[in-house]
């Protein structure tokens, strides 16, 4: 599926958070969104998911405005994994993932063995099968994050939105989750903090700064020393690999947070 924005703007009172952003994620593409804290990544993801309606501009899924789609229909096409998504309900890990099947259930479609199989597969994909019967509130932050991703996979979406999905995860699961979603037959849009993760897994990268889209292209095109210094305020060496990818080595700068 193709998800595209046309000149979207989001503001809180007089403060513009996202300012005139136009971009698209093509079918099967892994599009990364990077930028400093406060650059508008999360607000842009919320508009892409239909949780916030732009003050100006449109978001379209395969050419259809999100505003024209019912929540149920949209949830069958698109899944979102937020940075922080907690629940006060007492439930098991498996029950949390079962919530991903909600868009498909109704009077004519009761829970079935197929739903059980889809949930079991989603738990296995994020390495949470051994903890499926554990209570949600006994799980670590990283384990809960993996369940959020499993719940999204249980929705069987065609498009997956991830807002800093590697938060709370150890390095093995950071790499494992990003590799998993890259290998799925999905369109993926992910807001990422780690520039090397973006370089390793993304087909293209969109760079946000102060609410604006300042660069869009392949990792090699976008992740230059000049852009990293200008947008993130750090010095780095960018090493080009033989396979066409790149790796970033950051330089420690004394007093970088002073002032």
């Amino acid at each position: 599926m193709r998800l595209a924005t046309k000149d979207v703007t989001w503001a809180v009172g007089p403060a513009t958070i996202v300012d005139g952003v136009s971009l698209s994620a093509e079918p099967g593409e892994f599009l990364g969104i990077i930028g400093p804290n406060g650059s508008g990544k999360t607000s842009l993801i919320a508009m892409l998911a239909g949780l916030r309606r732009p003050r100006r501009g449109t978001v379209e899924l395969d050419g259809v405005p999100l505003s024209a789609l019912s929540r149920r229909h949209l949830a069958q096409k698109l899944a979102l994994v937020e940075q922080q998504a907690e629940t006060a309900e007492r439930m098991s890990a498996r029950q949390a993932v079962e919530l991903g099947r909600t868009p498909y259930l109704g009077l004519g479609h009761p829970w079935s063995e197929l739903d059980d199989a889809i949930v079991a597969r989603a738990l296995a994909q994020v390495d949470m099968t051994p903890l499926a019967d554990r209570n949600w509130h006994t799980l670590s932050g990283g384990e809960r994050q993996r369940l959020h991703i499993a719940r999204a996979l249980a929705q069987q979406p065609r498009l997956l939105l991830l807002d800093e999905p590697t938060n709370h995860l150890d390095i093995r699961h950071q790499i494992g989750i990003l590799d998993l979603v890259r290998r799925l037959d999905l369109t993926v849009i992910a807001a990422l903090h780690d520039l090397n993760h973006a370089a390793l897994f993304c087909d293209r990268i969109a760079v946000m700064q102060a609410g604006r889209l300042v660069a869009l292209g392949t990792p090699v095109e976008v992740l230059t020393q000049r852009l990293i210094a200008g947008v993130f305020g750090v010095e780095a060496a960018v090493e080009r690999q033989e396979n066409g990818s790149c790796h970033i080595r950051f330089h420690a700068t004394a007093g970088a947070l002073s002032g």
Side-chain angles (χ1 to χ4, degrees):
M1 302 199 81
R2 182 178 192 267
L3 188 64
T5 69
K6 296 181 181 178
D7 194 33
V8 292
T9 295
W10 168 259
V12 177
T16 299
I17 310 301
V18 177
D19 190 1
V21 171
S22 296
L23 56 74
S24 66
E26 303 304 322
E29 181 179 30
F30 192 141
L31 176 66
I33 302 175
I34 64 173
N37 289 342
S39 60
K41 300 187 301 294
T42 293
S43 294
L44 179 59
I45 290 284
M47 286 189 286
L48 291 171
L51 297 181
R52 293 177 178 171
R53 182 167 293 189
R55 177 173 289 188
R56 186 182 72 239
T58 60
V59 181
E60 296 182 351
L61 184 63
D62 278 349
V64 179
L66 294 193
S67 57
L69 301 173
S70 70
R71 294 304 305 174
R72 182 184 182 90
H73 181 73
L74 185 59
Q76 292 176 353
K77 303 295 183 183
L78 181 154
L80 168 67
V81 178
E82 300 178 79
Q83 285 187 53
Q84 302 291 337
E86 297 300 332
T87 176
E89 300 293 329
R90 296 189 64 83
M91 64 176 65
S92 68
R94 180 181 285 104
Q95 288 171 327
V97 178
E98 287 174 353
L99 293 175
R101 301 304 300 157
T102 302
Y104 301 94
L105 303 177
L107 293 177
H109 298 85
W111 190 271
S112 68
E113 292 183 0
L114 176 60
D115 297 298
D116 281 327
I118 291 169
V119 168
R121 183 170 185 266
L123 283 164
Q125 286 177 301
V126 300
D127 196 25
M128 284 294 289
T129 302
L131 301 181
D133 295 323
R134 283 269 300 273
N135 186 284
W136 172 269
H137 295 288
T138 68
L139 299 170
S140 70
E143 290 163 346
R144 294 181 188 183
Q145 185 72 351
R146 282 187 278 154
L147 288 175
H148 289 316
I149 294 169
R151 185 266 307 156
L153 296 178
Q155 280 180 240
Q156 294 188 302
R158 301 305 308 144
L159 195 148
L160 185 60
L161 296 173
L162 305 164
D163 189 6
E164 297 181 16
T166 55
N167 273 3
H168 309 297
L169 299 182
D170 59 49
I171 186 63
R172 179 172 76 90
H173 285 107
Q174 288 178 24
I175 299 299
I177 289 296
L178 292 174
D179 184 58
L180 167 65
V181 299
R182 182 180 63 173
R183 289 185 287 106
L184 295 171
D185 185 22
L186 299 174
T187 305
V188 178
I189 302 175
L192 300 170
H193 258 315
D194 191 309
L195 302 191
N196 279 309
H197 285 170
L200 181 61
F201 293 103
C202 297
D203 298 305
R204 289 190 302 148
I205 297 172
V207 185
M208 298 285 293
Q209 183 179 29
R212 291 183 174 273
L213 180 66
V214 296
L216 177 63
T218 66
V220 169
E221 292 170 339
V222 166
L223 295 174
T224 65
Q225 292 176 320
R226 182 175 181 178
L227 181 135
I228 293 169
V231 173
F232 295 93
V234 294
E235 297 298 323
V238 180
E239 301 175 357
R240 268 43 178 184
Q241 310 295 320
E242 291 184 359
N243 62 2
S245 65
C246 62
H247 180 76
I248 302 161
R249 296 185 183 276
F250 296 99
H251 303 314
T253 304
L257 296 181
S258 64

